Amino acid sequence: MIPRWLWVPAAAGAAFLLLPLVALVARVDWAHFPELITSPAARDALWLSLRTSTASTLLCIVLGTPMAMVLARTSFPGQGVLRSLVLLPLVLPPVVGGIALLYTFGRRGLLGHELDVLGLQVAFSTTAVVMAQTFVAMPFLVVSLEGALRTAGRRYDVVAASLGARPTTVFRRVTLPLVLPGLVSGAVLAFARSLGEFGATITFAGSLQGVTRTLPLEIYQLRETDVDAAVALSLVLVVVAVLVIGFARQSRGSL
């Protein structure tokens, strides 16, 4: 049982979130919808978004999983500061993250000059898109997985270790299966965040069709030149996001 008065602000909150989506659907030019979402630029942008979001999600898993393990299962000086810095992209404006990446990996950046000497140009490339998406999305995986690790506790890990299992075996055979729902949830959140990333991407990677112009960038550009196409592609992005969230819920429930 909950207080009846809670239904009023709950309904207001739901309306605030849902009415813009209803308005978006109502604004779509359904007569030309297939043409609007199948233009060469739209297909390039959608395909690029899906590829880079998948790559950034995999990178988040590879780098974020060990990070969550270290934060959840160890204790060391400065751990609180490190956790705050890891979560910083959650509150930073994405464009600030893009500027930070540019001055790190750009041609005149902290590491960019050395990379340029090696013939590697990161900024304003598809690689830069993946890096920008990873920068803003990784905290979502770390937060989700760290919470799952703390909830799971260490008792099963201790039992496995007492039976002679090596730390790597404990991690692979005991810890990961226990927190798999949290890992899946974090990965899906990272994918969704990567799919919608805009500010860091346009700052660090630019907007070149087929190379760095993801779907959010394509929508932003079309907003000034073809409103109908921008609305249609916005709806496509909403549908993809809903499918991703639905998949996450189903996967977590089955696990």
Side-chain angles (χ1 to χ4, degrees):
M1 293 290 293
I2 63 172
R4 292 184 178 180
W5 61 267
L6 288 179
W7 286 95
V8 176
F16 179 76
L17 294 175
L18 296 178
L19 281 178
L21 300 179
V22 174
L24 181 68
V25 173
R27 179 61 179 77
V28 172
D29 182 3
W30 294 104
H32 301 92
F33 184 74
E35 303 170 16
L36 295 172
I37 65 172
T38 56
S39 66
R43 292 199 305 268
D44 287 346
L46 178 59
W47 176 234
L48 180 65
S49 288
L50 293 175
R51 285 191 294 122
T52 55
S53 296
T54 301
S56 65
T57 302
L58 293 175
L59 197 56
C60 286
I61 293 173
V62 171
L63 300 178
T65 301
M67 195 182 307
M69 279 290 297
V70 169
L71 291 174
R73 296 295 174 85
T74 64
S75 180
F76 54 88
Q79 187 176 19
V81 176
L82 177 61
R83 180 180 287 106
S84 298
L85 292 176
V86 168
L87 302 182
L88 194 59
L90 289 175
V91 296
L92 274 180
V95 66
V96 175
I99 292 174
L101 289 169
L102 187 61
Y103 281 99
T104 303
F105 299 102
R107 295 187 64 180
R108 298 183 180 180
L110 185 64
L111 302 177
H113 177 71
E114 286 72 16
L115 294 174
D116 192 49
V117 170
L118 297 174
L120 301 175
Q121 295 185 6
V122 177
F124 306 105
S125 65
T126 304
T127 301
V129 177
V130 175
M131 293 174 66
Q133 292 173 344
T134 303
F135 181 82
V136 300
M138 192 183 300
F140 288 88
L141 184 137
V142 173
V143 167
S144 179
L145 187 54
E146 185 185 359
L149 285 165
R150 292 187 181 278
T151 301
R154 303 185 182 186
R155 55 189 182 278
Y156 294 109
D157 296 15
V158 172
V159 171
S162 67
L163 294 175
R166 295 177 178 272
T168 301
T169 303
V170 174
F171 173 72
R172 182 171 54 88
R173 300 289 297 274
V174 179
T175 308
L176 277 183
L178 280 175
V179 299
L180 188 57
L183 178 59
V184 171
S185 177
V188 173
L189 287 174
F191 180 86
R193 181 64 186 88
S194 297
L195 195 64
E197 164 51 30
F198 175 83
T201 302
I202 197 171
T203 305
F204 182 45
S207 179
L208 181 62
Q209 182 177 340
V211 180
T212 64
R213 188 181 300 164
T214 57
L215 196 55
L217 271 64
E218 178 70 15
I219 293 170
Y220 181 79
Q221 177 168 311
L222 288 173
R223 185 179 61 90
E224 301 292 340
T225 59
D226 190 345
V227 175
D228 289 338
V231 172
L233 290 178
S234 296
L235 182 60
V236 170
L237 194 57
V238 169
V239 171
V240 173
V242 170
L243 291 175
V244 168
I245 294 171
F247 173 78
R249 291 177 62 87
Q250 183 177 5
S251 298
R252 189 159 188 171
S254 63
L255 292 171

